[in-house]
Amino acid sequence: MSLEIENLDLQAAVELLEGGSCSSEELVHALLSRITARDSSLCAYLSVDGDASLRQARDADKARASGSTAPLLGIPLAVKDVINVSGDSCHCASKILEGYVSPYDATVIGRLRDAGAVFVGRTNMDEFAMGSSTENSAFGVTRNPCSIDHVPGGSSGGSAAAVAGGEAVAALGSDTGGSIRQPASFCGCVGLKPSYGRVSRYGLTAFASSLDQIGPMTRTVRDAAALLEVMAGHDERDSSSINMAVPGYSSCLGEDLRGMKLGLPKEYFVAGTDSEVDNAVRAAVEECSKLGAEIVEISLPHTDYAVATYYIIATAEASANLARFDGVRYGHRAEGVINPIDMYGKTRAQGFGAEVKRRIILGTYVLSSGYHDAYYLRAQKVRTLIRQDFEKVFEDCDALLTPVTPTPAYRIGEKVDDPLRMYLGDVFTVPANLAGICGLSVPCGVSSDGLPIGLQVLGPAFKEENILRVGHAYELARANSKNG
Ligand code: GLN
């Protein structure tokens, strides 16, 4: 049969496999051909192991023949290069990790593997997940499948481009300050950042440990629900993971939003946001109201401080986390060194890119004695205020609707030399990480230049079912109105 792999979502792939109309081997074959044809222009993947993926696919086909009904049996997934998959490289798109091969599976990978998934390749990203455009990768710039001279967003730009460009049925990303939601928005796919603690971080290379979460990037909200259901849950190996039952997210989805109260934070609808983004998000809000939701204006008064707070806390944590990359245990080691101190210095100077160095320096500064209280401690206090803003509005609202980003995707090279401008683009995504709540990005429009625009749905901590319900009903209504 001829498979239209570039349009296939996860749910449809599951149905094809379960119905016996194609095998996992055929599916993976089709996907590998698509990647070969398309990825030289997109650069969504850093590496693809065709033989290993076909082997996993054949094993899945055998398991099905012997009666296995695992939920993701034979489904190919793409994995961001920051998540460990046993036997695969894990470079975090950094030269310092060149040559490193993971000796173990991250907990999410183990869970997905037990559910039958096949791991096809490693997707490109900003080095150590630091960035918003995937231009900080040491191994090439990923392009936006909707317009190849535009960035795909970041840092999970490779995963977003793979899904949106038909080179993956679904992918995994990580989100520390928007890295799942923002690239999903720029490329026109769905991205979900789970609440902090919902998904295990064991095996996710740490950037900022109090903010990082792994989440699904998919073609539909239903697919994100299906993946999260498998990925979520308590893990003894991650002390920040919560011991709380995982709801059957797929069964929480419906066609309307009756009985739901959705808040519009006035601080997210302000001058400075591109008018096409503002209009698309407002139209999506209108659609949610037609679906039966009650819409109320609310306020998150500390929003203005979120970007500054984030860039202090994230860099402080990064400076500590990245200290382990010194040439001793992982990847690259400088040659011709005279003593250990010389080796650490030279290895790090050679191995880290400019943005990573900038963050390590900034993070070390905000933690240094004499400045710690003025920056780091103060940022932690503001973080609490931001969290309390959300707690207060969620006493009354089931979810919030906002833009994901102030603008659609920009041109490659446009902001790369102006880090501050790039950081400001994270204004609508970082508050969710600081507060530990969950967030979803779902396509809601296209700019006059043909660039996707995303709607952000924010939900209370551990209420992923709320945001999935809103996103799914909205996505169905949008598809119906396009078809009608
Ligand atoms: N763009 C943000 C940053 O550069 C977020 C990155 C992320 O979520 N990993 O820090």
Side-chain angles (χ1 to χ4, degrees):
M1 68 173 294
S2 110
L3 269 172
E4 271 193 41
I5 192 78
E6 64 275 20
N7 297 319
L8 198 66
D9 63 41
L10 186 141
Q11 185 70 22
V14 167
E15 281 162 21
L16 285 181
L17 292 171
E18 283 182 353
S21 18
C22 89
S23 67
S24 174
E25 187 175 2
E26 285 167 319
L27 194 65
V28 171
H29 231 290
L31 194 62
L32 293 172
S33 310
R34 170 78 183 172
I35 295 172
T36 308
R38 188 92 207 268
D39 210 48
S40 51
S41 57
L42 287 189
C43 190
Y45 285 92
L46 290 175
S47 61
V48 174
D49 189 338
D51 290 343
S53 355
L54 286 167
R55 212 167 33 242
Q56 293 172 64
R58 282 191 291 270
D59 285 348
D61 289 332
K62 274 190 217 141
R64 188 178 300 282
S66 9
S68 166
T69 55
L72 299 174
L73 192 58
I75 295 292
L77 296 178
V79 180
K80 185 179 181 180
D81 197 33
V82 70
I83 302 169
N84 284 274
V85 175
S86 179
D88 282 2
S89 57
C90 184
H91 294 155
C92 302
S94 179
K95 283 200 181 132
I96 210 161
L97 279 171
E98 254 186 311
Y100 178 72
V101 174
S102 303
Y104 70 108
D105 274 343
T107 295
V108 278
I109 298 295
R111 285 178 190 255
L112 290 163
R113 209 189 275 288
D114 289 345
V118 168
F119 302 104
V120 178
R122 315 281 307 164
T123 56
N124 201 7
M125 54 183 278
D126 286 298
E127 185 177 1
F128 285 105
M130 297 175 188
S132 307
S133 65
T134 314
E135 292 166 293
N136 296 335
S137 165
F139 307 115
V141 176
T142 299
R143 292 167 179 274
N144 190 318
C146 304
S147 164
I148 61 159
D149 43 336
H150 285 76
V151 301
S155 62
S156 313
S159 290
V163 171
E167 293 185 33
V169 173
L172 299 186
S174 69
D175 192 311
T176 304
S179 278
I180 288 176
R181 292 160 288 156
Q182 184 258 23
S185 169
F186 277 12
C187 292
C189 61
V190 171
L192 188 149
K193 182 202 93 72
S195 312
Y196 185 76
R198 182 76 286 188
V199 170
S200 168
R201 291 180 297 109
Y202 181 78
L204 168 68
T205 312
F207 159 13
S209 311
S210 76
L211 301 161
D212 299 338
Q213 273 288 292
I214 302 174
M217 303 180 76
T218 54
R219 299 235 168 96
T220 67
V221 175
R222 179 178 288 282
D223 288 354
L227 282 179
L228 185 65
E229 225 163 87
V230 174
M231 294 161 66
H234 181 237
D235 178 14
E236 276 176 2
R237 288 176 295 190
D238 171 6
S239 59
S240 65
S241 89
I242 188 140
N243 197 349
M244 194 190 249
V246 178
Y249 294 116
S250 303
S251 54
C252 304
L253 307 177
E255 288 183 7
D256 66 56
L257 298 176
R258 279 195 294 257
M260 288 193 98
K261 198 186 241 189
L262 305 179
L264 300 187
K266 64 175 200 270
E267 293 80 4
Y268 287 61
F269 293 86
V270 284
T273 296
D274 179 283
S275 62
E276 290 190 302
V277 171
D278 195 71
N279 291 339
V281 172
R282 286 182 195 278
V285 171
E286 188 54 44
E287 190 68 58
C288 290
S289 150
K290 282 195 206 143
L291 289 168
E294 182 189 345
I295 310 287
V296 290
E297 189 177 280
I298 55 104
S299 172
L300 297 164
H302 297 92
T303 302
D304 261 3
Y305 307 106
V307 170
T309 305
Y310 169 83
Y311 277 94
I312 291 171
I313 294 174
T315 56
E317 294 184 18
S319 74
N321 276 325
L322 270 61
R324 69 183 61 133
F325 303 113
D326 55 9
V328 176
R329 278 170 300 179
Y330 312 99
H332 175 72
R333 178 180 298 170
E335 301 202 343
V337 296
I338 50 172
N339 59 36
I341 299 293
D342 190 36
M343 182 187 83
Y344 304 148
K346 287 201 173 120
T347 298
R348 289 164 71 81
Q350 293 166 4
F352 288 135
E355 181 61 25
V356 174
K357 286 177 183 159
R358 182 180 297 123
R359 299 213 188 184
I360 293 174
I361 292 169
L362 187 58
T364 308
Y365 176 77
V366 300
L367 288 176
S368 59
S369 97
Y371 294 100
H372 176 277
D373 291 5
Y375 293 110
Y376 184 70
L377 194 64
R378 202 171 179 85
Q380 292 291 16
K381 289 181 179 167
V382 180
R383 180 179 190 171
T384 301
L385 296 173
I386 291 169
R387 204 190 61 234
Q388 287 169 345
D389 279 357
F390 282 105
E391 277 168 7
K392 189 149 173 262
V393 301
F394 284 133
E395 280 172 13
D396 193 39
C397 292
D398 300 297
L400 310 178
L401 302 177
T402 82
V404 182
T405 57
T407 66
Y410 34 89
R411 281 178 191 281
I412 290 173
E414 197 179 316
K415 294 197 190 177
V416 76
D417 296 324
D418 190 349
L420 207 56
R421 243 178 96 212
M422 185 93 85
Y423 298 171
L424 289 172
D426 298 334
V427 56
F428 300 143
T429 49
V430 294
N433 302 76
L434 290 167
I437 62 171
C438 56
L440 178 74
S441 173
V442 56
C444 72
V446 179
S447 76
S448 44
D449 297 333
L451 296 162
I453 297 171
L455 167 73
Q456 178 169 240
V457 189
L458 296 173
F462 307 108
K463 284 285 181 189
E464 280 76 6
E465 57 274 31
N466 290 14
I467 58 175
L468 287 164
R469 185 175 161 205
V470 174
H472 174 71
Y474 168 70
E475 181 182 71
L476 279 184
R478 180 164 182 252
N480 288 339
S481 67
K482 271 210 251 169
N483 296 335

